[in-house]
Amino acid sequence: MINRRKFLLKSTIGTSGILLGVNALGKTIELKSASNYPIVISTWDFGIPANQAAWKVLSKGGRALDAVEAGVRIPEADPKNHSVGASGYPDRDGHVTLDACIMDEKGNCGGVAAMEYIDHPISVARMVMEKTPHVLLVGEGATQFALENGFKKKQLLNDESKKAWQEWLKTSKYQPEINVENKYYTPQKLPGNQYNHDTIGMLALDAAGNISGACTTSGMAFKLHGRVGDSPIIGAGLFVDNEVGGATSTGVGEEVIRNVGSFLVVELMRQGYTPENACKEAVNRIIKKNPEKAKNLQVGFLALNKKGEYGAYAIQKGFSYAVCNSEKQDTLIKGQSIY
Ligand code: SD4
């Protein structure tokens, strides 16, 4: 008979991150997947510093909801980040309008959309969730709510963003570029309208095994005034279900909304799909509806299940995501892609 010591010696981490062991019959079995959390994952390269802020909460046994809020506030406050938060590129008319939403393990959620003059939309989204009977506040109403709740009014359009917008006005051509996101960390490519879309979506599983998520963006650069993307829409840019896991998205929000992308990913995981395969299927649904159009646009999904397994898939190459857990706080992973 195999004794416990021998049993543990034979254990190994499987490719999906699950701890595997070999039972007395020589069969590989899952040992204790619960060891995969706490964990936090988020979209793109700037997910690394964001995850590290979330980790400060998670590593002390804090709640996933507090972790994701603290995490995404980092890119929201970064003056070099022109696609999330205060320094985001403006819309066609020069207004910086921000979108964000947040969702906790109980299914509570809140969001703000097309909100002006307030620099941390994710924290306003959380207040909508916790202090109102509503889920989504938009435009002037969202700003008014924020001001009534202690946020300060600020002019968000900074010099770099203004310069990029004025440059863009010369042609006024609205054309999102695939994967310009990755140029963020090669500042010589900035400014200009090179870097025109990018969102942080973050999912965290805390020590208690509860999941929460947050998503925040300034949306597509030089969009029509009043345009709202997927990021503040529960089910599109973000969805979590504490029985299953969570998902978030980045890329051209209109396509994500049309397919209720994040909800779809979570429902596929409920049916037994791995996080990566669920993201792949969601991406394929978008492609299937309009294959020609899909060749020229980017959408990426990121997912985390309740066991702490994660994965991502995008239409185009170049999507990256950051993973942070007790072993490593600065891992960047290349997402798989169809093209
Ligand atoms: C939007 N999904 O507003 C956001 C933008 C984005 O990578 O994620 N870009 O449509």
Side-chain angles (χ1 to χ4, degrees), residues 41 48 59 64 88 93 96 115-116 160 179 202 220 236 238 259 276 287 302 317 331 333:
I41 63 175
I48 291 179
S59 58
D93 302 334
V96 178
M115 181 176 70
E116 284 190 69
E160 260 182 28
N179 287 334
M202 177 178 278
M220 306 303 269
L238 176 75
N259 291 277
E276 184 176 299
I287 295 173
L302 177 65
K317 280 197 203 74
T331 306
I333 298 181

Side-chain angles (χ1 to χ4, degrees), residues 73-265:
R73 282 176 62 97
I74 300 297
E76 280 188 344
D78 180 353
K80 287 279 166 203
N81 189 323
H82 296 297
S83 59
V84 178
S87 304
Y89 280 167
D91 64 20
R92 189 187 67 171
D93 302 334
H95 301 268
V96 178
T97 66
L98 304 179
D99 294 343
C101 74
I102 194 160
M103 190 163 190
D104 75 7
E105 77 280 4
K106 298 186 188 100
N108 298 312
C109 50
V112 289
M115 181 176 70
E116 284 190 69
Y117 306 117
I118 307 291
D119 60 0
H120 279 297
I122 199 64
S123 297
V124 186
R126 182 166 177 177
M127 271 193 187
V128 171
M129 173 174 95
E130 291 178 340
K131 291 194 165 185
T132 80
H134 309 306
V135 166
L136 185 60
L137 294 181
V138 306
E140 277 176 30
T143 305
Q144 184 188 332
F145 171 77
L147 294 174
E148 284 167 7
N149 282 280
F151 288 82
K152 296 273 170 287
K153 186 170 180 173
K154 289 184 186 159
Q155 175 51 258
L156 301 185
L157 188 66
N158 69 17
D159 288 347
E160 260 182 28
S161 300
K162 195 172 177 182
K163 232 167 118 186
W165 169 58
Q166 284 168 341
E167 190 61 31
W168 176 80
L169 281 175
K170 291 180 187 161
T171 55
S172 301
K173 198 168 164 218
Y174 178 77
Q175 193 169 48
E177 273 180 63
I178 292 167
N179 287 334
V180 287
E181 294 89 342
N182 287 350
K183 293 179 184 169
Y184 178 60
Y185 283 111
T186 53
Q188 69 275 14
K189 295 269 171 30
L190 290 170
N193 56 357
Q194 301 283 314
Y195 174 59
N196 63 359
H197 64 97
D198 204 0
T199 290
I200 185 151
M202 177 178 278
L203 302 162
L205 198 51
D206 61 29
N210 287 320
I211 192 162
S212 292
C215 187
T216 175
T217 190
S218 51
M220 306 303 269
F222 320 127
K223 59 197 174 186
L224 285 182
H225 185 57
R227 180 264 186 189
V228 171
D230 57 323
S231 305
I233 311 282
I234 295 296
L238 176 75
F239 193 71
V240 305
D241 183 323
N242 211 37
E243 286 182 358
V244 180
T248 188
S249 63
T250 182
V252 179
E254 283 76 3
E255 299 308 318
V256 179
I257 295 173
R258 286 183 183 115
N259 291 277
V260 201
S262 292
F263 180 73
L264 173 61
V265 171

